[in-house]
Amino acid sequence: MNQNITDVAIIGGGIIGCSIAYQLAKKQVDVLVIEKASRAGTEASWAGAGILTSHASTHEPYPELCRASLALYPTLATELKTETGIDIEFIRSGTLSVFFDEAEATGLIGLAERRINRGFTAEILSPEQAWQSEPAISKSIAGAVLFPEDGHVKNPKMVTALTKGAANLGAKFLFGNPITGFVRENDRVIGVIVNGEVIHAEKFVIAAGCWSGHLVGLLDFSLPISPAKGQIVLLETMPPIFHRIIDGLGIYIVPRADGKILLGATVEFAVYDKTPSVDGMKQMIDAAVKIAPELAQSTFVQTWAGLRPYYKRGPCLGYLPGLDNVILASGHYKNGILLAPITGQLIAELLTSGETSLSLAPFAPTMN
């Protein structure tokens, strides 16, 4: 391991790192993914609900990035199924956002009207129309807004498909091995230290979620990426009672094809603690039952928590200041699953041509 073995070393085998590896492998770049866990996607990439929503109506850089990534999903899902045999269960179900009072109605209807006026999709529904669309919804709602372009994906299967797709194209994966340091030479990073050995590469990508700040710290930078804990509750109803994502009262309800239902998610800015709490579960279950009383009779399956990488200025994408061969791809917060396709595409473009199809300037890393 003491020789230059790869063109690009990606540190982090979550959905972001694997998406970048897949896109680089498609461009015939030698790539190595180094992941501290025993397999890919064991952290936030696994824990998330897989929702793909983009409701903003402006043309600011972040909403444009989200819309561009959502638009990539249909083709990517088909491509991964063809190349790997894995169905990532991409479903363009739409999101039904329900409201119970005038204050909630004002915000949601205003958002819908702005989207419609600016050429985006949204549909304002009466309570009767909402019940016709989703009969399990409470008769206490005051109305709803439908966002028809939203969807969801089985994110653990997507990580597996990206990993397999990249490996089929020649990418290599090194699991169960944390990075303990970087090797520099003449103000340039030339290697990473793994198990006391040095792995050399021409370029490096740090895509380690909320642990990216620690890795950047090994390069003497300070990066304000912190963990944001999110708890999920898994229920089961047979037969399934929803067709769409349901959003309201601060939670979302995501129906899966197998009859399972995800309730999520809390937002807790805390330490690196993934322990679920009774209070977090109770908040989500109470809200879900208010939205759909029938859920009170559903089967409780399990609960878990993940740590999202929070970065207040949105995702952090681009070269670290002063280092022309180290790229950061982290800080996606709640939208890591949504933004994985466009992040993979743009970082691969940056590494191979230096030019990106969407500007990364608004997302450039800013150190403390």
Side-chain angles (χ1 to χ4, degrees), residues 15-304:
I15 197 167
I16 298 298
C18 290
S19 181
I20 295 168
Y22 176 64
Q23 294 298 332
L24 285 171
K26 286 173 64 176
K27 296 176 180 289
Q28 299 182 319
V29 175
D30 288 333
V31 59
L32 172 69
V33 178
I34 306 170
E35 166 56 43
K36 65 180 181 179
S38 60
R39 57 187 175 83
T42 61
E43 295 291 347
S45 304
W46 171 87
I51 58 174
L52 310 172
T53 62
S54 179
H55 296 168
S57 61
T58 70
H59 291 281
E60 294 297 314
Y62 186 64
E64 291 281 14
L65 190 73
C66 291
R67 284 191 288 268
S69 200
L70 181 57
L72 294 175
Y73 259 97
T75 299
L76 179 61
T78 301
E79 181 181 291
L80 289 173
K81 178 67 179 296
T82 300
E83 295 182 1
T84 69
I86 298 172
D87 180 4
I88 66 172
E89 297 182 25
F90 168 69
I91 301 172
R92 179 154 275 164
S93 62
T95 296
L96 190 68
S97 294
V98 301
F99 51 84
F100 287 83
D101 57 39
E102 186 174 342
E104 292 177 328
T106 299
L108 270 172
I109 291 174
L111 172 60
E113 290 175 341
R114 289 192 298 275
R115 283 184 60 84
I116 293 167
N117 291 338
R118 293 168 180 171
F120 300 111
T121 58
E123 185 179 350
I124 302 168
L125 304 182
S126 68
E128 292 77 16
Q129 289 172 317
W131 299 326
Q132 184 176 10
S133 174
E134 292 287 349
I137 295 296
S138 169
K139 296 301 185 286
S140 299
I141 67 165
V145 171
L146 175 64
F147 299 96
E149 294 182 23
D150 292 351
H152 55 91
V153 68
K154 192 75 171 285
N155 36 297
K157 293 182 73 174
M158 181 172 172
V159 177
T160 301
L162 288 169
T163 304
K164 184 175 180 180
N168 288 347
L169 293 167
K172 298 179 178 63
F173 291 81
L174 184 60
F175 292 120
N177 293 274
I179 298 295
T180 56
F182 292 87
V183 179
R184 296 198 203 190
E185 184 178 278
N186 299 325
D187 296 323
R188 184 178 176 86
V189 175
I190 62 168
V192 291
I193 301 172
V194 181
N195 294 330
E197 301 282 348
V198 178
I199 298 177
H200 292 260
E202 291 296 324
K203 296 181 179 180
F204 301 84
V205 178
I206 298 174
C210 62
W211 289 271
S212 296
H214 168 71
L215 291 168
V216 170
L218 298 177
L219 291 167
D220 301 322
F221 289 99
S222 177
L223 179 71
I225 290 181
S226 57
K229 180 178 175 179
Q231 299 186 50
I232 294 281
V233 173
L234 183 65
L235 308 177
E236 184 173 22
T237 61
M238 288 304 289
I241 63 172
F242 297 115
H243 302 289
R244 296 179 174 84
I245 300 168
I246 311 297
D247 177 270
L249 300 178
I251 69 161
Y252 49 76
I253 302 170
V254 184
R256 290 275 169 83
D258 60 1
K260 302 287 196 306
I261 292 176
L262 293 172
L263 309 181
T266 62
V267 178
E268 304 165 56
F269 295 98
V271 296
Y272 290 85
D273 173 21
K274 295 185 290 183
T275 307
S277 69
V278 171
D279 182 59
M281 288 188 290
K282 184 177 184 300
Q283 289 178 35
M284 290 184 287
I285 291 171
D286 286 348
V289 170
K290 184 175 180 180
I291 292 170
E294 189 175 340
L295 285 176
Q297 308 306 316
S298 64
T299 300
F300 175 84
V301 180
Q302 68 179 118
T303 185
W304 64 81

Side-chain angles (χ1 to χ4, degrees), residues 27 203 319 327 342-361:
K27 296 176 180 289
K203 296 181 179 180
Y319 284 103
I327 286 174
I342 195 67
T343 300
Q345 175 183 306
L346 295 176
I347 298 300
E349 291 171 352
L350 182 63
L351 284 164
T352 55
S353 71
E355 300 291 334
T356 56
S357 49
L358 287 177
S359 174
L360 289 179

